Amino acid sequence: MAAEPARPSHPFLIKLPGVYAPQGDTRLLMSALERERIRPGAVVLDLGTGSGALALRAAQLGGIVIAVDVARVAVVTARLNALLHHRRITVRRSDLISAVGEHSYDLVLCNPPYVPSPTARGPTRGASRAWDAGPDGRAVVDRVCDDAPAALRRGGVLLMVHSKLCDPDATVRRLSRGGLEVSISARAHIPVGPVLRSRINWLRSRGLMSADDRFEELVIIRAEQT
């Protein structure tokens, strides 16, 4: 059964301090979600749910949704938003490996931390945990790639958004080695935001951005268990 047509959803979301607010990457991933054929009762995992915006939309489309985040404040926020919008969503505090465990899903959504950071060790608290991802931006992306094949049922799909700064081609190769059918299904250019601007000189020194860059390219990675 086809997903219901895309329409503006969740005009109001509670956003507690320290929780990643839905931005351009969230909207791009939500559009990809709305293009999927979600059968009623499909089991959906939203990794790193943040405010719960994607989990809410997946539930609205008929999915049985489990949303996880490592940050306690994000778990509280997502639960509040589920209550506010009258959606039954299971929200748990969990890291990636624990969320997958022995379970498998029809759809996995992931907006991971993907911004390259001068600090090798990722933050353990605070808002920057939602975006800082090590010098190559792949600290979490690679874990998702490695765990995705076991997390997906036959015909299941992973939808993951991240920046061109952390090498989408490497993501495609890594997921393909796991036996998944992989493509870059969408691209978008968004204005460079405050996080990138705050480390623009470092990014330029790494050859990741040039002096003329005013936009960041985002991609949607779609990987299917055939």
Side-chain angles (χ1 to χ4, degrees), residues 179-196:
L180 303 180
E181 185 176 310
V182 191
S183 64
I184 297 175
S185 64
R187 299 177 185 268
H189 291 82
I190 64 170
V192 170
V195 173
L196 291 187

Side-chain angles (χ1 to χ4, degrees), residues 6-216:
R7 62 176 183 270
S9 60
H10 316 307
F12 177 75
L13 289 174
I14 295 170
K15 294 182 286 291
L16 297 181
V19 176
Y20 185 75
Q23 298 182 41
D25 50 3
T26 313
R27 292 189 289 273
L28 185 63
L29 187 52
M30 190 173 293
S31 295
L33 163 63
E34 291 168 341
R35 289 193 296 271
E36 291 296 318
R37 299 175 63 88
I38 300 179
R39 61 174 176 78
V43 182
V44 180
L45 174 65
D46 182 21
L47 282 174
T49 193
S51 68
L54 291 162
L56 285 166
R57 185 56 173 148
Q60 186 180 49
L61 293 170
I64 297 171
V65 183
I66 297 93
V68 301
D69 203 292
V70 71
R72 289 184 175 89
V73 68
V75 171
V76 171
T77 301
R79 287 175 176 167
L80 288 173
N81 282 318
L83 288 170
L84 178 66
H85 293 281
H86 308 290
R87 294 291 168 180
R88 183 174 295 179
I89 296 169
T90 301
V91 187
R92 295 197 296 257
R93 182 171 182 259
S94 174
D95 64 11
L96 176 65
I97 294 174
S98 299
V100 173
E102 298 179 355
H103 303 285
S104 59
Y105 303 89
D106 297 296
L107 179 64
V108 175
L109 305 169
C110 187
N111 184 355
Y114 56 73
V115 178
S117 167
T119 305
R121 184 176 179 180
T124 58
R125 63 181 62 189
S128 62
R129 191 159 49 171
W131 55 77
D132 279 351
D136 60 2
R138 299 190 60 86
V140 176
V141 169
D142 282 343
R143 292 179 62 207
V144 175
C145 291
D146 293 344
D147 289 339
L152 294 174
R153 298 173 177 175
R154 187 175 183 85
V157 170
L158 164 72
L159 295 174
M160 177 165 57
V161 62
H162 65 65
S163 172
K164 187 178 179 181
L165 295 177
C166 60
D167 196 352
D169 291 337
T171 302
V172 171
R173 291 192 298 270
R174 196 162 184 133
L175 287 165
S176 296
R177 287 198 297 269
L180 303 180
E181 185 176 310
V182 191
S183 64
I184 297 175
S185 64
R187 299 177 185 268
H189 291 82
I190 64 170
V192 170
V195 173
L196 291 187
R197 287 199 300 270
S198 71
R199 60 191 65 168
I200 193 75
N201 291 333
W202 178 80
L203 290 166
R204 288 171 179 167
S205 73
R206 295 282 308 274
L208 295 173
M209 297 187 73
S210 72
D212 298 328
D213 285 337
R214 296 292 182 271
F215 292 87
E216 177 188 12

